[in-house]
Each structure stands twice: as C-alpha cells, then as structure tokens.
Amino acid sequence: MTDLHLSLDRSAGRLAAQIAAGFRAAVRSGRLTAGTRLPSSRDLARDLDVSRGVVVTAYEQLTAEGFLIARRGDGTRIAPLARPDEGAGPPPRPPARPAEPRAEPAVLYDLSPGQPDLSAFPRERWIAAARAALRTLPHDALAYPDPAGVPDLRAELASYLGRVRAAHADPGRIAIMNGVAQGLSGLLGQLRADGHTALAVEDPTSVRQLPMLAAAGVRTVRVPVDEEGLDVAALARTQARAVLVTPAHQYPTGVVLSPARRAALIAWARDADGVILEDDYDAEFRYDRDPVGCLQGVDPDRVVLLGSVSKSLAPALRLGWALAPPFLAEGLREHRTHTDLGAPVLEQYALTEFLRGGGYDRHLRTMRRRYRARRDALAGALAENLPGARVHGVSAGIHLYVELPGGCDEDEVVERAARAGVSVAGARAMWSPRRAEDAPPALVLGYAALPEPRLVKAAQLLGQAVAHGGGG
Ligand SMILES: Cc1ncc(COP(=O)(O)O)c(C=O)c1O
C-alpha cells in the first residue's frame, strides 16, 4: 500500500499478523509517529485488497498491545507512548532535561517596527471574500495560474493603484509577487542580467533587506538620506544605474522625499538610463497631509512600484505586486515561471473580492483612524517623557524615528528598555558602518500594535531607560 508502505506476502497466510507486524516495525523505525491517524479498517482493507475482518483483527491486536488508540469520532491513531516490543528496539530515551529558565526578560510592550496591528485583521470580511471567490470560481481557475498573477486581481489592483497612488497602472504591467521582498529579488536578478553591477540603497535603510539584496548578487552602494530624503546629487556620483528608494516615507527616518528631490531623481534616471525601484511599503498610512502620488506615476518607464498588503492587512498573506515597465513585468512573469509557477490562487481571488467589494478601502479607513490615534498618543507621551528627544516621521506610516538626547548610549537604552519589558529597535544597525559613527543615537518605534494607554506606559518606561542610559 502506498501510504503506509505495508507489504504482504499472501502465500505466507496469517494476513492480520503480517499487518500488525508491519505497523510495529513502522513505529519502531520512527516512520509512524505518535498521533498519526490511520486509515479506517474499511479503507485499509480496500487498499490492501484483504477482507475488512483481517484489518479489524490487526487493529484490535495492536490496540490491545497499546500501539494504537481508537476513539469514537477520532478514528484510530498511533498511541502517544507506543513503544517497540520489550527488548526489540532501541532503548527508551532518557527524559529530556527541563529547559533552562530563559534569561531574556518578557516583552510587555512590543514597539519593534514593521508590524501592523495583527489583531485588527478583518477575519470575517476576509472569510466572506474568500467564500465569495470560491463559490463563483470556475473549475479551470484552479489550474496552474498565470505566473504573473490572476488577471482579475491585476485589473483590480491597477484600478486601486491608479486611484489611490496616482500610479500609471495598466494590468499588463503588474506582476503579483509574494510581497515586496520577492518582487525585489526577481527584479534584481533581471537587472544583473541586463548588466547592472550595483544597486544604490538609502543610508539608513531596512536591515532586513540588506541580506536579501546581497543574496541577489548585487553590490550595494549606500547613498545618504537627509531631511529632504535621498541625496540625489550623491546618487549621481555613484556608478549605480539602479536605486531602491522609499519616497513616500523613508525607511527608517520617515522623511518624505521633497518635490525638488523627486524631480531630481526622475531626471537622474533619464540621464543615467537608470531604474528606480520605489518601495511603497506603508504608503496607505498618511495622516496630516494628502498622500503624495507615487513616483511611478511620473515616469512609468523608469520606475517600478513595489507594494504589498503586509502593512495594510498582514505580512502572513505574502501578497504583493510590482508595477513595472513592460520588459521588467514580463521578466517577472518569466521569473515566476522558472522558479515557483506563480502565487497561490485562492488568496489572489480573495484579495480581488476584497478590493472589488470595497472591503480593502473600508479596512484602510478604519486602520488610518486607529493608527493616527496611536501615533498621537506615542508622540505626545514621548514629548512628555523624553523631552530631549527629536521625533521624526510622524506624518505617515506605522513607526517613529526618535533621535535620543545627545550623550545617550543607544545600546544601553535598548538594553534597559528590554529589561523593563519594552522591545525597541536601535537605529545604528540601519546605517552604513561609515555613517553610523556620526549618526545620533536613535530608536525606531513601531506603534501600530499597541493601544494608546499601553503606548503611554511604554513611553514612560522608555523615558526611564533614557534617563539611566546617559540621557537624563
Ligand atoms: C522597508 C521595507 N520594505 C519592504 C519590506 C518587505 O515587505 P514584504 O512583506 O512586502 O515583502 C520590508 C520588510 O521588512 C521593509 O522593511
């Protein structure tokens, strides 16, 4: 039988005993483990081409020996303590030593950046969207999908990105990717094949992305960010003809790329025959001003817009998109064809329904209100409890960049905060080693996941950590 790998010698007779021996051997070898559910006696009899009574006899024997447990409604399973016959198998393992108590302090207030409020995931509406999709999908839709993404989702996204991000959005230019991360690695492979040897990256930047970029085999060149965003003049002095930027809300400083710099960046791309990879990671969340349209809408033949639902819904969905010039969009389709044959289809259709039915817009409106209140609470509590700190990047996103008072030791503040139960990220690792030396000590604080009173309490504890970390 294929599943359980029980082989029977029919000429030898005693089929029930052979089946029982086969199960014992499988348990002994570790091939069948405690809790494994076995097929019903009827199914196994059919698979082995024996009478059902033979299997029932084998199961009864093994149950009597303690190998199997049969419970009404739960079928027959390998027993938790099923052991080989006495003396027939390996000696029982000594009981595991109790784990050492963990030295790390408990995280009571998690302000690490990058996480949306996962408790706000619209479960019911998502289920409704998934159910609606599944009810109406033709059977054919369950075949291998278009590797660039199902056409319905690309059409919905094109309409959404055009409306909300002022993108030049044509479904034919969209490739559905497993998040910005996969979009980036797929694009970098193509750029390398097209002769790009270097990628310019903002300084500071997301530390999570650096190893991904390294794995894609491109050399990164760091370009400073100042209060207007990426320093385009410095970019022009590098050899790079491709740049990865976060214009809507620079990660991590929160700076919005100024209008002059936007224009300069587009001009650079045209002069250098360059490509701009626009990471739009949290652009949905703008609080005090109208959203700035994406750069892609200004020059769709030079800019790739990368986005995902990781911050707007949940990173676990691994659903994102690249809106790219046709040759790169086609390259991404090929990339998926050659690597994984496309994204899971049911999730793509659920997101299609969610967009189409207005659920996505409604969810974003709710979250914008919620995050704005949280931002206000944290920014206010920081002003009170860390009066010497300078808070940046408040107008958008789901994190703040907090420059600590001069004289603070960033590592010590992070450490003291952790001991008080507050998990925060220090900013130094986000800077290039050269600029990290001069970068003021700073923290990057994600505020999306905590309600206001907890943010206020966390800020009080942070204030104490700073006071004892050289900033008091
Ligand atoms: C700035 C930035 N962009 C993009 C990503 C990746 O996002 P996604 O979940 O869409 O792959 C991250 C993840 O940490 C990030 O920090």
Side-chain angles (χ1 to χ4, degrees):
M1 187 215 157
T2 47
D3 266 355
L4 296 170
H5 301 280
L6 295 175
S7 54
L8 298 182
D9 177 358
R10 287 170 202 281
S11 63
R14 297 180 31 105
L15 292 178
Q18 286 191 48
I19 291 171
F23 273 116
R24 284 189 210 100
V27 171
R28 246 175 238 139
S29 69
R31 200 159 52 72
L32 288 180
T33 52
T36 302
R37 191 190 181 109
L38 300 186
S40 70
S41 54
R42 190 187 308 275
D43 286 347
L44 186 56
R46 194 181 304 121
D47 288 338
L48 294 176
D49 196 18
V50 298
S51 76
R52 187 172 167 215
V54 166
V55 177
V56 169
T57 305
Y59 277 10
E60 282 173 355
Q61 176 65 30
L62 290 166
T63 305
E65 290 171 9
F67 271 90
L68 302 185
I69 290 183
R71 280 208 197 94
R72 194 177 289 279
D74 191 38
T76 302
R77 293 178 185 271
I78 303 292
L81 294 175
R83 287 249 187 78
D85 301 340
E86 288 296 337
R93 283 205 210 150
R97 286 223 329 248
E100 296 286 326
R102 293 190 59 161
E104 281 167 28
V107 176
L108 304 175
Y109 304 91
D110 190 356
L111 270 70
S112 23
Q115 200 86 300
D117 185 349
L118 299 176
S119 73
F121 185 80
R123 291 178 188 238
E124 291 307 320
R125 279 194 239 136
W126 186 262
I127 289 171
R131 188 179 290 128
L134 205 45
R135 202 182 300 122
T136 51
L137 277 187
H139 298 321
D140 286 355
L142 298 176
Y144 284 107
D146 181 333
V150 301
D152 286 7
L153 177 56
R154 288 188 283 136
E156 283 300 328
L157 271 175
S159 142
Y160 170 78
L161 293 171
R163 175 168 57 85
V164 174
R165 301 295 299 124
H168 177 88
D170 166 345
R173 290 172 171 245
I174 292 181
I176 302 301
M177 307 302 292
N178 293 347
V180 169
Q182 194 198 24
L184 254 183
S185 58
L187 287 162
L188 293 179
Q190 277 189 75
L191 292 178
R192 224 177 30 161
D194 286 350
H196 288 260
T197 53
L199 174 73
V201 178
E202 293 165 316
D203 190 5
T205 188
S206 156
V207 270
R208 185 181 279 177
Q209 274 182 352
L210 289 174
M212 292 184 211
L213 304 179
V218 288
R219 184 170 58 86
T220 51
V221 183
R222 303 292 287 268
V223 175
V225 167
D226 59 24
E227 57 287 346
E228 283 194 72
L230 183 84
D231 180 344
V232 180
L235 169 66
R237 289 193 293 274
T238 71
Q239 299 293 312
R241 287 190 303 110
V243 62
L244 172 61
V245 266
T246 46
H249 187 235
Q250 202 275 330
Y251 192 89
T253 63
V255 175
V256 179
L257 193 66
S258 72
R261 291 280 175 87
R262 285 166 64 91
L265 186 56
I266 296 287
W268 165 84
R270 291 176 182 167
D271 287 351
D273 190 20
V275 181
I276 299 168
L277 307 179
E278 178 176 21
D279 179 354
D280 216 28
Y281 70 102
D282 68 0
E284 294 84 359
F285 301 120
R286 289 209 128 239
Y287 307 118
D288 308 317
R289 290 187 269 166
D290 284 340
V292 180
C294 62
L295 281 177
Q296 189 273 351
V298 181
D299 193 340
D301 291 326
R302 295 263 166 223
V303 185
V304 183
L305 180 72
L306 290 157
S308 76
V309 298
S310 292
K311 309 289 187 257
S312 55
L313 284 168
L317 286 171
R318 306 311 302 135
L319 267 177
W321 50 87
L323 172 56
F327 75 102
L328 287 174
E330 193 45 42
L332 287 174
R333 177 199 300 270
E334 256 172 52
H335 174 73
R336 295 215 75 155
T337 307
H338 296 148
T339 53
D340 65 356
L341 299 178
V345 167
L346 296 182
E347 281 79 358
Q348 292 189 65
Y349 277 110
L351 181 58
T352 308
E353 284 294 330
F354 204 56
L355 283 160
R356 191 182 284 152
Y360 195 63
D361 283 333
R362 247 196 325 271
H363 178 67
L364 286 177
R365 272 198 298 278
T366 305
M367 297 318 293
R368 234 176 257 128
R369 268 198 308 277
R370 181 177 296 192
Y371 291 157
R372 183 193 285 124
R374 291 181 180 180
R375 182 225 32 196
D376 289 345
L378 181 60
L382 289 173
E384 206 168 299
N385 293 281
L386 278 82
R390 291 177 58 203
V391 179
H392 301 269
V394 289
S395 66
I398 52 175
H399 72 266
L400 300 177
Y401 189 88
V402 181
E403 248 177 63
L404 296 172
C408 261
D409 179 328
E410 183 184 297
D411 291 339
E412 196 178 334
V413 170
V414 172
E415 173 66 34
R416 281 182 183 278
R419 267 188 263 133
V422 185
S423 175
V424 297
R428 187 167 328 103
M430 303 177 190
W431 295 84
S432 62
R434 194 169 56 81
R435 292 191 78 212
E437 284 172 21
D438 299 327
L443 303 176
V444 185
L445 305 181
Y447 54 79
L450 293 183
E452 290 91 301
R454 291 175 59 71
L455 288 167
V456 170
K457 181 67 193 163
Q460 288 165 355
L461 293 169
L462 261 183
Q464 289 162 19
V466 169
H468 293 103

